[in-house]
Amino acid sequence: DQQVKQNSPSLSVQEGRISILNCDYTNSMFDYFLWYKKYPAEGPTFLISISSIKDKNEDGRFTVFLNKSAKHLSLHIVPSQPGDSAVYFCAASERSNFGNEKLTFGTGTRLTIIP
Amino acid sequence: GAGVSQTPSNKVTEKGKYVELRCDPISGHTALYWYRQSLGQGPEFLIYFQGTGAADDSGLPNDRFFAVRPEGSVSTLKIQRTERGDSAVYLCASSYFAGSNEQFFGPGTRLTVL
């Protein structure tokens, strides 16, 4: 049962254009959402996050939108740059009974920026 | 400062052997997590430590998997009687405290079981 879904395994975008990566979730107990970026042979790196009480969070070229009623979030990157080429993972967090924030990841979207 | 480090970066072993994977978290981070990432999948939670104790081991797939963190810093993930299905990248992450949403990941150990 995939609780966090990224239905697009790959996406190609022209340099300078907007990249939009999508993520859907099923568990209404998730209270925080994060995007991680991963380069080959490296661990995932935190990019941006959003609390479930907000619908938008912006950080420079990166904006995350959350639609709670649709259980959908998206990451917008504008303008896209060649260095943005990586695999992007959507992750959702819920507080476990043990006090930790338990992350559930999607399967990732490979973004390729075309110069 | 230094990030999360993991050793070895690659481990090749034969079916049935025992392996140990090491994680050195960011200094001062009390929470430590192990994840497993299989090909084409996102990281999947295995176990969480707060200090020295394994507070949440609900993600361990079976009793062949075990992890320790004896002094509240370095952690070792131990896999007994390895199977080909254990082949994956094992990721370690740490955070300043358990309630922190942002986890910092190491580069992972790629385990291949032949």
Side-chain angles (χ1 to χ4, degrees):
Chain A
D1 176 29
Q2 196 81 29
Q3 295 189 67
V4 179
K5 298 178 185 178
Q6 293 177 257
N7 291 320
S8 298
S10 63
L11 176 68
S12 293
V13 175
Q14 204 79 30
E15 182 179 359
R17 298 289 183 102
I18 183 170
S19 296
I20 300 176
L21 295 95
N22 293 303
C23 178
D24 298 290
Y25 63 96
T26 57
N27 186 347
S28 57
M29 297 302 292
F30 290 140
D31 56 7
Y32 212 83
F33 302 89
L34 307 91
W35 285 93
Y36 279 82
K37 178 178 178 180
K38 187 181 184 304
Y39 293 119
E42 295 183 11
T45 303
F46 170 76
L47 191 59
I48 192 170
S49 62
I50 187 167
S51 165
S52 60
I53 62 173
K54 296 190 174 181
D55 55 18
K56 178 182 174 181
N57 187 28
E58 192 172 351
D59 183 3
R61 296 186 298 115
F62 303 92
T63 303
V64 56
F65 295 92
L66 175 63
N67 182 334
K68 278 190 71 176
S69 60
K71 292 192 173 66
H72 177 85
L73 65 154
S74 60
L75 173 67
H76 292 211
I77 307 173
V78 56
S80 301
Q81 299 174 354
D84 296 330
S85 295
V87 177
Y88 288 78
F89 289 100
C90 171
S93 175
E94 63 179 314
R95 180 64 63 93
S96 81
N97 294 332
F98 305 96
N100 57 304
E101 288 293 332
K102 197 166 178 177
L103 292 182
T104 302
F105 284 83
T107 52
T109 296
R110 181 178 299 279
L111 176 65
T112 303
I113 305 302
I114 305 164
Chain B
V4 177
S5 62
Q6 292 186 247
T7 55
S9 55
N10 280 284
K11 176 71 177 177
V12 180
T13 191
E14 292 179 343
K15 181 174 178 295
K17 300 285 188 182
Y18 167 84
V19 296
E20 289 190 352
L21 312 178
R22 176 189 167 109
C23 171
D24 206 333
I26 293 172
S27 178
H29 281 194
T30 61
L32 185 146
Y33 303 80
W34 283 98
Y35 293 82
R36 177 168 72 174
Q37 185 176 10
S38 301
L39 195 63
Q41 302 296 314
E44 293 178 290
F45 169 79
L46 294 177
I47 188 169
Y48 149 70
F49 286 88
Q50 178 57 40
T52 60
D56 181 0
D57 63 359
S58 62
L60 294 179
N62 52 60
D63 61 6
R64 294 187 297 105
F65 289 75
F66 189 72
V68 296
R69 194 186 184 198
E71 296 177 359
S73 177
V74 170
S75 176
T76 305
L77 178 66
K78 309 180 180 194
I79 311 174
Q80 299 177 321
R81 304 182 306 279
T82 51
E83 299 177 358
R84 292 197 180 91
D86 298 336
S87 296
V89 175
Y90 289 81
L91 294 161
C92 177
S94 68
S95 63
Y96 187 65
F97 62 96
S100 171
N101 287 290
E102 186 179 339
Q103 298 177 16
F104 296 84
F105 283 82
T109 293
R110 181 176 296 279
L111 175 67
T112 304
V113 182
L114 301 176

